[in-house]
């Protein structure tokens, strides 16, 4: 297959927080992979900025270590790495002070694409934006990239939006939700809108319910102090899962264009019904004893009184013509049985069966879109069981792994960050959240969170390595439905 990657213009990409975790784990390795793939112009430059006193050689060393650790060994090519490192510069900058800014300005080339990645705590966004502006470093075409958490409620998200808007237009602001950069998440749009097959059935007349699962095996690790103030609702649902829900539920945009897509997503968020207490289950993982002992959530966050959830399941309803009566069940959690993210669309049964019911174990059609691992799609259909003995029906999967179907190209799926950073350079905002979208998602999440806080609810304990708390099963059972098994 011929590669049809859209070329990017020459750029200067400045990374604030260049020595931090995100830069070393994701941004620098991602940029290297693009360079290795030949998708980065020769003259492009990456300028690291952070408080640490360091020179370009020190930053190149740091980047080399990041590549060693986080890029597949198959892409370690000494000449390519050296050429990539050559593109790197470093300026020590005090984000809240005056030092470093004139030096940064002197280094920037105003005639190429200028992008600034704020890989720093949100508390610094305003300070950096103001200084970029004040020192005349960011012109009207410059782009800024900001990371989650984008606020912790509607009020803080609004304040952040206002801070950025004081110095940058919306078309310059790229709010990253890395789920939108995942190849299979983008594929949701391709599957829905590039095929005639699914769209006619994509509504409450034919869809019984939708399940969205993002299960992780890891605990909160070293991020306890952040996570305990956040919890699964703020950390995963308000952003990543909301985006998945939108892509499944939205109306067809008139074009694959940033505002057309984001307008449709926004309509979905605004149509979400307020949630009843009984439609929410929150959990917290317990530790395990024995040889391979695992710590509990409470130990991990060092807060024995914590009421923060490491698991959440929700039954969400969308109040519009397309989805009235079709619930969306969402669940996400840490320390679950397997790492898996998938969307399962369960269709209704045919209106009338021409076959003798007694012989068959009737199963509904289910379309499963696997986001990770083993990206692919699986459609469960009923067929005749082969062989003699009359008309017996069985359900079989039509299974497609993208890696099998697409060979090498399907197997070499780019990391979400690579894709998104290149879209910033291309000036394409389709896969970034617009300010009003983020605010609408908080406007929905805030009362849900306020509700359980007012009720003083504690999350239910669940065993590490399980499928989550028992009450989550009930959320489906009482509707006569079942969660799909969490399998890797
Ligand atoms: C992050 C959350 O945004 O997404 C983490 O803060 C979570 O808690 C991570 O582990 C999951 O991302 P992925 O790409 O591993 O599914």
């Amino acid at each position: 297959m011929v590669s049809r990657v859209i070329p990017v213009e020459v750029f200067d990409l400045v990374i604030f927080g260049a020595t931090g975790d995100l830069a070393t784990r994701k941004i620098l390795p991602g940029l290297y992979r693009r360079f290795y793939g030949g998708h980065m112009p020769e003259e492009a430059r990456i300028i690291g900025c952070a408080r640490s006193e360091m020179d370009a050689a020190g930053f190149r060393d740091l980047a080399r270590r990041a590549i060693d650790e986080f890029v597949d060994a198959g892409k370690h090519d000494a000449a390519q790495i050296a050429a990539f490192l050559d593109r790197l510069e470093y300026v020590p900058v005090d984000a809240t002070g005056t030092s470093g800014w004139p030096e940064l300005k002197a280094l920037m080339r105003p005639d190429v694409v200028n992008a600034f990645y704020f890989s720093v705590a949100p508390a610094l966004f305003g300070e950096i934006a103001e200084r970029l502006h004040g020192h005349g470093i960011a012109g009207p075409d410059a782009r800024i990239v900001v990371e989650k958490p984008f606020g912790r409620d509607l009020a803080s998200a609004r304040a952040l939006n206002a801070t950025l808007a004081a110095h940058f237009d919306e078309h310059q602001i790229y709010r990253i939700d890395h789920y939108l950069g995942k190849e299979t998440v983008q594929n949701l749009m391709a599957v829905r809108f590039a095929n005639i097959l699914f769209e006619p059935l994509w509504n409450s007349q034919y869809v019984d319910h939708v399940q969205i699962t993002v299960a992780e095996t890891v605990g909160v690790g070293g991020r306890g102090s952040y996570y305990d103030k956040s919890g699964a609702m703020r950390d995963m649902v308000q952003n990543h899962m909301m985006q998945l829900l939108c892509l499944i539920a939205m109306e067809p945009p008139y074009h694959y264009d940033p505002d057309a897509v984001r307008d449709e997503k926004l309509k979905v968020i605004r149509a979400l019904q307020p949630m009843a207490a009984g439609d929410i289950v929150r959990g917290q993982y317990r530790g395990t004893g024995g040889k391979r002992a695992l710590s509990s959530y409470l130990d991990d966050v060092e807060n024995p009184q914590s009421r923060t959830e490491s698991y959440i399941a929700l039954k969400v309803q969308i109040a519009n013509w397309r989805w009235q009566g079709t619930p969306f069940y969402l669940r996400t959690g840490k320390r679950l049985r397997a790492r898996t993210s998938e969307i399962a669309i369960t269709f209704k049964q045919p209106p009338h069966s021409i076959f003798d019911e007694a012989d068959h174990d009737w199963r509904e059609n289910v379309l499963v879109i696997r986001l990770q691992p083993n990206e692919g799609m699986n459609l469960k259909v009923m067929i005749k069981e082969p062989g003699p003995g009359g008309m017996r029906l069985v359900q079989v999967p039509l299974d497609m792994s993208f890696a099998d179907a697409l060979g090498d190209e399907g197997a070499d799926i780019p990391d979400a960050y690579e894709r998104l950073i290149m879209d910033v350079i291309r000036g394409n905002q389709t896969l970034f959240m617009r300010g009003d979208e983020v605010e609408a998602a908080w406007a929905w999440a805030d009362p849900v969170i306020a509700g359980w806080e007012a009720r003083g609810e504690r999350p239910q304990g669940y065993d590490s390595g399980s499928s989550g708390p028992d009450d989550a099963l009930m959320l489906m059972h009482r509707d006569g439905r079942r969660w799909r098994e969490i399998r890797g």
Side-chain angles (χ1 to χ4, degrees):
M1 214 177 293
V2 182
S3 169
R4 288 181 295 168
V5 177
I6 303 170
V8 296
E9 289 172 56
V10 177
F11 62 85
D12 280 347
L13 170 67
V14 177
I15 307 171
F16 293 105
T19 55
D21 194 51
L22 182 70
T24 45
R25 268 186 321 114
K26 296 286 183 186
I27 306 175
L28 291 167
L31 286 164
Y32 169 70
R33 278 190 290 263
R34 282 295 153 135
F35 183 85
Y36 178 89
H39 305 151
M40 198 186 284
E42 286 281 311
E43 312 79 42
R45 271 189 334 188
I46 296 146
I47 303 169
C49 290
R51 211 168 349 163
S52 322
E53 283 299 332
M54 192 193 289
D55 56 11
F59 185 50
R60 289 173 187 162
D61 267 355
L62 179 145
R64 183 194 297 277
R65 287 196 300 274
I67 294 168
D68 278 352
E69 190 170 352
F70 297 110
V71 175
D72 284 353
K75 295 192 167 111
H76 290 185
D77 173 302
Q80 290 269 38
I81 293 178
F84 173 75
L85 296 178
D86 245 14
R87 318 295 339 137
L88 269 51
E89 302 288 347
Y90 183 83
V91 185
V93 164
D94 180 359
T96 57
T98 50
S99 71
W101 296 98
E103 291 78 1
L104 177 60
K105 183 179 163 92
L107 207 57
M108 300 292 297
R109 296 171 293 178
D111 52 338
V112 302
V113 171
N114 284 185
F116 302 89
Y117 200 127
F118 292 18
S119 176
V120 295
L124 293 175
F125 289 179
E127 304 263 8
I128 296 177
E130 195 180 307
R131 283 167 179 74
L132 283 176
H133 203 75
H135 288 271
I137 301 174
D141 293 327
R143 290 142 209 188
I144 61 166
V145 187
V146 294
E147 269 288 333
K148 77 178 261 271
F150 203 84
R152 66 180 323 271
D153 53 19
L154 177 58
S156 53
R158 275 195 180 139
L160 258 182
N161 275 338
T163 302
L164 297 179
H167 305 289
F168 295 94
D169 278 348
E170 183 63 33
H171 80 270
Q172 297 180 277
I173 305 172
Y174 290 73
R175 294 177 193 79
I176 286 209
D177 182 314
H178 80 281
Y179 264 61
L180 288 177
K182 288 184 190 279
E183 198 74 7
T184 31
V185 174
Q186 295 163 57
N187 228 330
L188 291 178
M189 278 186 278
V191 167
R192 281 195 62 192
F193 304 127
N195 296 288
I196 190 70
L197 207 58
F198 303 112
E199 199 51 28
L201 304 180
W202 214 260
N203 56 56
S204 59
Q205 194 183 343
Y206 296 106
V207 176
D208 178 72
H209 74 278
V210 176
Q211 294 185 24
I212 306 181
T213 301
V214 177
E216 299 184 276
T217 50
V218 291
V220 297
R223 299 162 74 223
S225 65
Y226 150 77
Y227 194 91
D228 203 36
K229 290 190 215 79
S230 170
M233 181 73 171
R234 289 188 171 98
D235 186 52
M236 295 294 289
V237 177
Q238 184 273 346
N239 37 68
H240 307 324
M241 297 198 73
M242 181 65 74
Q243 292 297 325
L244 299 180
L245 172 77
C246 285
L247 296 179
I248 291 292
M250 72 183 183
E251 296 300 314
Y254 70 86
H255 187 56
Y256 186 68
D257 153 282
D259 279 330
V261 171
R262 297 184 300 177
D263 286 348
E264 296 307 335
K265 287 197 289 166
L266 181 62
K267 286 186 209 160
V268 174
I269 305 174
R270 291 200 171 139
L272 294 177
Q273 279 184 2
M275 305 236 357
D279 289 342
I280 308 162
V281 176
R282 295 160 65 238
Q284 223 177 44
Y285 59 81
R286 301 189 195 102
T288 53
K291 250 200 223 146
R292 310 178 77 201
L294 290 168
S295 50
S296 68
Y297 177 82
L298 297 178
D299 288 340
D300 283 351
V301 299
E302 297 174 3
N303 176 6
Q305 301 306 324
S306 173
R307 293 184 176 193
T308 304
E309 75 285 353
S310 60
Y311 174 100
I312 190 166
L314 305 154
K315 177 182 175 185
V316 176
Q317 311 257 16
I318 303 172
N320 63 17
W321 277 39
R322 186 188 282 263
W323 294 117
Q324 187 59 46
T326 297
F328 285 65
Y329 297 92
L330 274 47
R331 63 179 164 166
T332 181
K334 301 222 179 263
R335 280 281 182 77
L336 296 176
R337 178 171 298 149
R339 177 173 188 256
T340 178
S341 299
E342 62 164 41
I343 297 167
I345 293 135
T346 301
F347 293 90
K348 293 186 175 169
Q349 294 201 354
H352 163 74
S353 173
I354 64 166
F355 304 105
D356 288 337
E357 301 280 337
D359 289 351
H360 316 301
D361 179 15
W362 263 111
R363 301 273 177 90
E364 306 86 359
N365 296 127
V366 185
L367 173 67
V368 181
I369 301 163
R370 293 187 305 266
L371 306 179
Q372 59 191 27
N374 187 18
E375 292 82 353
M377 276 177 26
N378 178 316
L379 178 64
K380 296 207 160 54
V381 292
M382 298 295 290
I383 59 158
K384 177 190 171 298
E385 199 175 281
M391 189 61 151
R392 289 186 317 271
L393 304 181
V394 284
Q395 193 176 50
V396 293
L398 287 178
D399 206 351
M400 183 177 79
S401 140
F402 294 149
D404 292 346
L406 299 173
D408 284 353
E409 287 203 35
D412 193 17
I413 291 181
D415 183 76
Y417 280 91
E418 290 174 52
R419 161 72 201 249
L420 294 175
I421 296 170
M422 289 300 127
D423 276 0
V424 174
I425 307 298
R426 290 190 190 101
N428 185 344
Q429 287 186 307
T430 311
L431 299 175
F432 296 83
M433 292 180 298
R434 211 168 52 191
D436 51 2
E437 238 185 292
V438 176
E439 290 185 16
W442 280 121
W444 170 78
D446 273 4
V448 180
I449 297 170
W452 74 59
E453 282 177 352
R455 294 189 294 274
E457 281 170 12
R458 283 185 177 281
Q460 199 188 15
Y462 62 93
D463 290 339
S464 287
S466 71
S467 311
D470 294 340
D471 283 359
L473 300 179
M474 287 313 297
L475 189 71
M476 298 281 279
H477 279 185
R478 61 167 202 209
D479 294 344
R481 300 183 174 110
R482 259 188 312 170
W483 289 109
R484 289 169 46 77
E485 244 180 81
I486 294 182
R487 273 192 300 220

